[in-house]
Amino acid sequence: VQLQAYGGGLVQPGGSLRLSCAASGRIFSINDMGWYRQAPGKQRELVATITSSGTTNYRDSVKGRFTISRDNAKNTVYLQMNSLKPEDTAVYYCNADLFAYGLPLLSYWGQGTQVTVSS
């Protein structure tokens, strides 16, 4: 099983980016999916999660600016980020709790994609 994240980049304050993360491999089913981020010198923190039925959860600092969504048919999770701020600068990681064939429920991580918000 692999999670491939993409869509990061350099954007000016107030700009937008859309991150995508696709899970591939011998996947039976996916439970929660989410995005986390880690800024230099800081611990990794939760940004947003979404259940298989579409229930979402956000950290307070991104509420109203970020939107998490998923396409279950494509095993893909998205993060639409609007009104970006310099403090959103971090490496963003996607995560999925899923059942691969023959394995118990495990948590998988993508490789990370850099988001830099700067003028």
Side-chain angles (χ1 to χ4, degrees):
V1 174
Q2 286 188 322
L3 270 63
Q4 181 68 44
Y6 48 96
L10 173 64
V11 64
Q12 292 186 340
S16 298
L17 282 175
R18 188 190 194 213
L19 306 183
S20 301
C21 176
S24 62
R26 292 176 52 80
I27 297 170
F28 177 73
S29 67
I30 302 177
N31 289 4
D32 293 357
M33 303 184 82
W35 291 94
Y36 294 71
R37 67 187 182 188
Q38 187 168 18
K42 295 187 177 181
Q43 290 189 333
R44 189 173 298 188
E45 61 185 22
L46 181 148
V47 177
T49 61
I50 184 168
T51 69
S52 58
S53 59
T55 300
T56 57
N57 178 55
Y58 298 91
R59 70 179 301 104
D60 287 345
S61 62
V62 307
K63 286 180 180 177
R65 300 189 298 120
F66 291 11
T67 302
I68 189 170
S69 61
R70 63 190 282 175
D71 184 332
N72 291 330
K74 296 181 179 180
N75 291 337
T76 299
V77 62
Y78 306 95
L79 185 68
Q80 177 66 44
M81 304 185 293
N82 299 327
S83 302
L84 282 160
K85 303 175 180 181
E87 51 264 42
D88 295 318
T89 295
V91 177
Y92 284 69
Y93 297 90
C94 59
N95 173 268
D97 296 333
L98 63 87
F99 289 96
Y101 285 97
L103 293 175
L105 181 67
L106 294 174
S107 188
Y108 295 81
W109 291 89
Q111 83 285 8
T113 184
Q114 176 71 47
V115 172
T116 302
V117 185
S118 175
S119 54

